[in-house]
Amino acid sequence: MWKSLCTLLLTAAMASAQSDAWYAKAVKSVEASFEPATAKPGQTVTFKLTIDLHEGYHTYPTMQKDKNADGQVNKIAFPEGGPLIFVGNVKEPKNPDVKAEPLLGIKALHTYHGIVVYERTAVVSPKATAGEVRVALKALRLSVCDESSCYGPKTLTPATKLTITGDPVPVEKAWAAEVEKALAGK
Protein backbone atom coordinates (compact mmCIF):
# COMPACT_ATOMS: atom_id res chain seq x y z
CA MET A 1 0.00 0.00 0.00
CA TRP A 2 2.79 2.45 0.93
CA LYS A 3 4.53 1.72 -2.36
CA SER A 4 1.34 2.50 -4.30
CA LEU A 5 0.79 5.70 -2.33
CA CYS A 6 4.40 6.82 -2.84
CA THR A 7 4.18 6.06 -6.57
CA LEU A 8 0.95 8.05 -6.83
CA LEU A 9 2.44 11.05 -4.96
CA LEU A 10 5.64 10.96 -7.03
CA THR A 11 3.65 10.79 -10.28
CA ALA A 12 1.51 13.74 -9.21
CA ALA A 13 4.59 15.78 -8.23
CA MET A 14 6.29 15.04 -11.56
CA ALA A 15 3.14 15.98 -13.51
CA SER A 16 2.89 19.24 -11.58
CA ALA A 17 6.54 20.07 -12.25
CA GLN A 18 6.13 19.32 -15.96
CA SER A 19 2.94 21.35 -16.20
CA ASP A 20 4.75 24.36 -14.69
CA ALA A 21 7.95 23.92 -16.74
CA TRP A 22 6.57 26.31 -19.35
CA TYR A 23 6.50 29.09 -16.76
CA ALA A 24 10.31 29.16 -16.35
CA LYS A 25 10.77 29.24 -20.14
CA ALA A 26 8.12 31.88 -20.78
CA VAL A 27 8.20 34.30 -17.83
CA LYS A 28 11.24 36.28 -16.70
CA SER A 29 9.47 37.86 -13.73
CA VAL A 30 6.20 38.95 -12.17
CA GLU A 31 6.45 41.90 -9.80
CA ALA A 32 4.06 44.15 -7.91
CA SER A 33 4.78 47.72 -6.81
CA PHE A 34 3.14 50.92 -5.61
CA GLU A 35 3.73 54.43 -6.90
CA PRO A 36 4.44 56.22 -4.71
CA ALA A 37 5.84 53.63 -2.30
CA THR A 38 5.08 55.88 0.69
CA ALA A 39 1.66 57.47 1.19
CA LYS A 40 -0.58 59.09 3.79
CA PRO A 41 -4.00 57.82 4.88
CA GLY A 42 -6.53 59.05 2.30
CA GLN A 43 -3.89 59.40 -0.43
CA THR A 44 -4.29 57.82 -3.87
CA VAL A 45 -1.60 55.41 -5.07
CA THR A 46 -1.15 53.29 -8.17
CA PHE A 47 -0.69 49.54 -7.91
CA LYS A 48 1.43 48.20 -10.77
CA LEU A 49 1.67 44.57 -11.81
CA THR A 50 4.59 44.02 -14.18
CA ILE A 51 4.98 40.79 -16.15
CA ASP A 52 8.21 40.39 -18.10
CA LEU A 53 7.98 37.70 -20.79
CA HIS A 54 10.79 36.00 -22.68
CA GLU A 55 10.89 36.57 -26.43
CA GLY A 56 8.43 34.45 -28.38
CA TYR A 57 5.72 34.39 -25.67
CA HIS A 58 2.60 36.48 -25.22
CA THR A 59 -0.12 37.06 -22.67
CA TYR A 60 -3.52 38.70 -22.64
CA PRO A 61 -5.56 41.61 -21.25
CA THR A 62 -8.02 41.16 -18.39
CA MET A 63 -10.89 41.71 -20.85
CA GLN A 64 -11.03 41.07 -24.59
CA LYS A 65 -13.12 43.41 -26.73
CA ASP A 66 -14.14 40.54 -29.03
CA LYS A 67 -16.63 38.35 -27.14
CA ASN A 68 -15.36 35.28 -29.01
CA ALA A 69 -11.95 35.81 -27.40
CA ASP A 70 -13.21 36.12 -23.81
CA GLY A 71 -11.42 32.88 -22.84
CA GLN A 72 -8.03 34.41 -23.64
CA VAL A 73 -7.63 36.65 -20.61
CA ASN A 74 -5.67 37.04 -17.41
CA LYS A 75 -7.66 37.31 -14.20
CA ILE A 76 -6.53 39.53 -11.34
CA ALA A 77 -8.24 39.28 -7.94
CA PHE A 78 -7.46 42.22 -5.67
CA PRO A 79 -7.53 42.04 -1.87
CA GLU A 80 -10.51 43.47 -0.04
CA GLY A 81 -10.40 45.13 3.33
CA GLY A 82 -7.19 46.10 5.00
CA PRO A 83 -5.30 49.35 4.65
CA LEU A 84 -5.92 49.78 0.89
CA ILE A 85 -9.16 50.29 -0.96
CA PHE A 86 -8.88 49.39 -4.65
CA VAL A 87 -11.05 51.69 -6.78
CA GLY A 88 -11.94 51.97 -10.43
CA ASN A 89 -11.02 49.31 -12.96
CA VAL A 90 -7.78 47.73 -14.10
CA LYS A 91 -5.95 49.88 -16.61
CA GLU A 92 -4.83 47.59 -19.42
CA PRO A 93 -1.38 47.91 -20.98
CA LYS A 94 -1.21 50.21 -24.00
CA ASN A 95 -0.77 49.17 -27.61
CA PRO A 96 -1.78 45.51 -27.74
CA ASP A 97 -1.01 43.41 -30.78
CA VAL A 98 -4.30 42.62 -32.48
CA LYS A 99 -4.86 39.76 -34.90
CA ALA A 100 -7.70 37.65 -36.21
CA GLU A 101 -8.07 33.96 -35.39
CA PRO A 102 -10.66 32.94 -38.03
CA LEU A 103 -10.71 29.25 -37.02
CA LEU A 104 -11.86 30.33 -33.55
CA GLY A 105 -14.30 32.96 -34.85
CA ILE A 106 -12.16 35.74 -33.37
CA LYS A 107 -11.85 38.95 -35.35
CA ALA A 108 -9.65 40.84 -32.86
CA LEU A 109 -7.52 38.89 -30.38
CA HIS A 110 -5.50 41.27 -28.17
CA THR A 111 -2.09 40.07 -26.93
CA TYR A 112 0.97 41.57 -25.24
CA HIS A 113 4.66 40.72 -25.59
CA GLY A 114 7.76 41.72 -23.62
CA ILE A 115 7.14 43.85 -20.55
CA VAL A 116 3.42 44.04 -19.73
CA VAL A 117 2.15 46.44 -17.05
CA TYR A 118 -1.35 46.43 -15.57
CA GLU A 119 -2.35 49.27 -13.21
CA ARG A 120 -5.11 49.89 -10.72
CA THR A 121 -5.79 52.85 -8.48
CA ALA A 122 -5.98 52.35 -4.74
CA VAL A 123 -6.70 54.71 -1.86
CA VAL A 124 -4.95 54.30 1.46
CA SER A 125 -7.77 53.87 3.95
CA PRO A 126 -8.33 57.06 5.92
CA LYS A 127 -8.40 54.74 8.97
CA ALA A 128 -5.00 53.16 8.19
CA THR A 129 -2.30 53.37 10.83
CA ALA A 130 1.29 54.34 10.13
CA GLY A 131 3.77 51.64 9.27
CA GLU A 132 4.86 49.30 6.52
CA VAL A 133 2.18 46.98 5.11
CA ARG A 134 2.49 44.02 2.77
CA VAL A 135 -0.18 43.86 0.09
CA ALA A 136 -0.64 40.68 -1.97
CA LEU A 137 -3.05 39.98 -4.77
CA LYS A 138 -5.62 37.36 -3.85
CA ALA A 139 -4.72 35.75 -7.18
CA LEU A 140 -3.26 36.41 -10.59
CA ARG A 141 -4.37 33.75 -13.05
CA LEU A 142 -1.70 34.19 -15.72
CA SER A 143 -2.25 32.77 -19.21
CA VAL A 144 0.74 32.57 -21.55
CA CYS A 145 1.14 31.21 -25.08
CA ASP A 146 3.81 30.93 -27.71
CA GLU A 147 3.19 30.92 -31.46
CA SER A 148 1.89 27.33 -31.49
CA SER A 149 0.76 26.43 -27.95
CA CYS A 150 -1.03 27.80 -24.93
CA TYR A 151 -0.16 26.58 -21.45
CA GLY A 152 -2.43 25.90 -18.52
CA PRO A 153 -2.86 29.09 -16.49
CA LYS A 154 -0.60 29.56 -13.49
CA THR A 155 -1.99 31.13 -10.33
CA LEU A 156 0.35 33.52 -8.53
CA THR A 157 0.01 35.89 -5.57
CA PRO A 158 2.52 38.70 -6.20
CA ALA A 159 3.02 41.05 -3.26
CA THR A 160 4.64 44.37 -2.51
CA LYS A 161 5.03 46.76 0.40
CA LEU A 162 3.67 50.22 1.04
CA THR A 163 4.78 52.54 3.81
CA ILE A 164 1.95 54.51 5.41
CA THR A 165 3.10 57.67 7.11
CA GLY A 166 1.90 61.09 8.18
CA ASP A 167 -1.42 62.71 8.92
CA PRO A 168 -4.51 61.81 6.89
CA VAL A 169 -5.35 63.79 3.76
CA PRO A 170 -8.77 64.19 2.11
CA VAL A 171 -9.73 61.44 -0.34
CA GLU A 172 -9.85 62.63 -3.96
CA LYS A 173 -13.42 63.45 -5.05
CA ALA A 174 -13.22 60.92 -7.90
CA TRP A 175 -12.87 58.07 -5.37
CA ALA A 176 -14.74 59.40 -2.34
CA ALA A 177 -17.98 57.46 -2.96
CA GLU A 178 -16.16 54.14 -3.51
CA VAL A 179 -14.06 54.68 -0.39
CA GLU A 180 -17.12 55.56 1.71
CA LYS A 181 -18.92 52.47 0.44
CA ALA A 182 -15.92 50.24 1.23
CA LEU A 183 -15.57 51.69 4.73
CA ALA A 184 -19.30 51.30 5.41
CA GLY A 185 -19.13 47.64 4.43
CA LYS A 186 -16.59 46.87 7.17
Side-chain angles (χ1 to χ4, degrees):
M1 178 170 149
W2 280 105
K3 186 175 181 181
S4 297
L5 180 59
C6 289
T7 302
L8 180 64
L9 291 173
L10 181 60
T11 303
M14 288 172 51
S16 176
Q18 288 175 346
S19 68
D20 285 348
W22 67 265
Y23 182 79
K25 291 193 289 184
V27 180
K28 291 180 186 178
S29 65
V30 174
E31 297 178 359
S33 63
F34 281 108
E35 286 186 8
T38 300
K40 297 177 179 186
Q43 186 175 339
T44 301
V45 296
T46 302
F47 176 85
K48 291 189 175 193
L49 177 64
T50 304
I51 301 167
D52 190 358
L53 300 172
H54 286 286
E55 190 171 328
Y57 293 90
H58 63 268
T59 192
Y60 300 102
T62 60
M63 291 188 334
Q64 292 279 358
K65 293 182 180 181
D66 186 327
K67 68 177 181 168
N68 292 328
D70 65 0
Q72 283 85 12
V73 294
N74 289 322
K75 295 185 179 179
I76 305 171
F78 290 88
E80 297 171 6
L84 282 158
I85 301 165
F86 286 90
V87 294
N89 296 315
V90 172
K91 181 179 172 188
E92 302 285 348
K94 294 181 181 179
N95 304 318
D97 290 329
V98 182
K99 69 177 185 174
E101 290 288 349
L103 294 176
L104 300 174
I106 299 171
K107 294 178 182 174
L109 177 66
H110 290 230
T111 62
Y112 300 105
H113 300 83
I115 297 174
V116 182
V117 181
Y118 302 88
E119 296 181 1
R120 186 156 180 209
T121 301
V123 175
V124 179
S125 172
K127 298 178 179 181
T129 57
E132 186 176 89
V133 294
R134 180 181 182 274
V135 179
L137 290 178
K138 285 175 33 179
L140 162 64
R141 188 170 177 256
L142 178 63
S143 297
V144 176
C145 301
D146 61 24
E147 205 52 45
S148 61
S149 302
C150 287
Y151 307 95
K154 182 162 180 76
T155 301
L156 305 164
T157 55
T160 188
K161 293 180 180 172
L162 177 73
T163 302
I164 301 170
T165 185
D167 294 328
V169 297
V171 173
E172 289 181 40
K173 287 182 184 180
W175 310 120
E178 283 188 72
V179 170
E180 281 182 41
K181 183 178 177 183
L183 292 174
K186 290 184 179 179

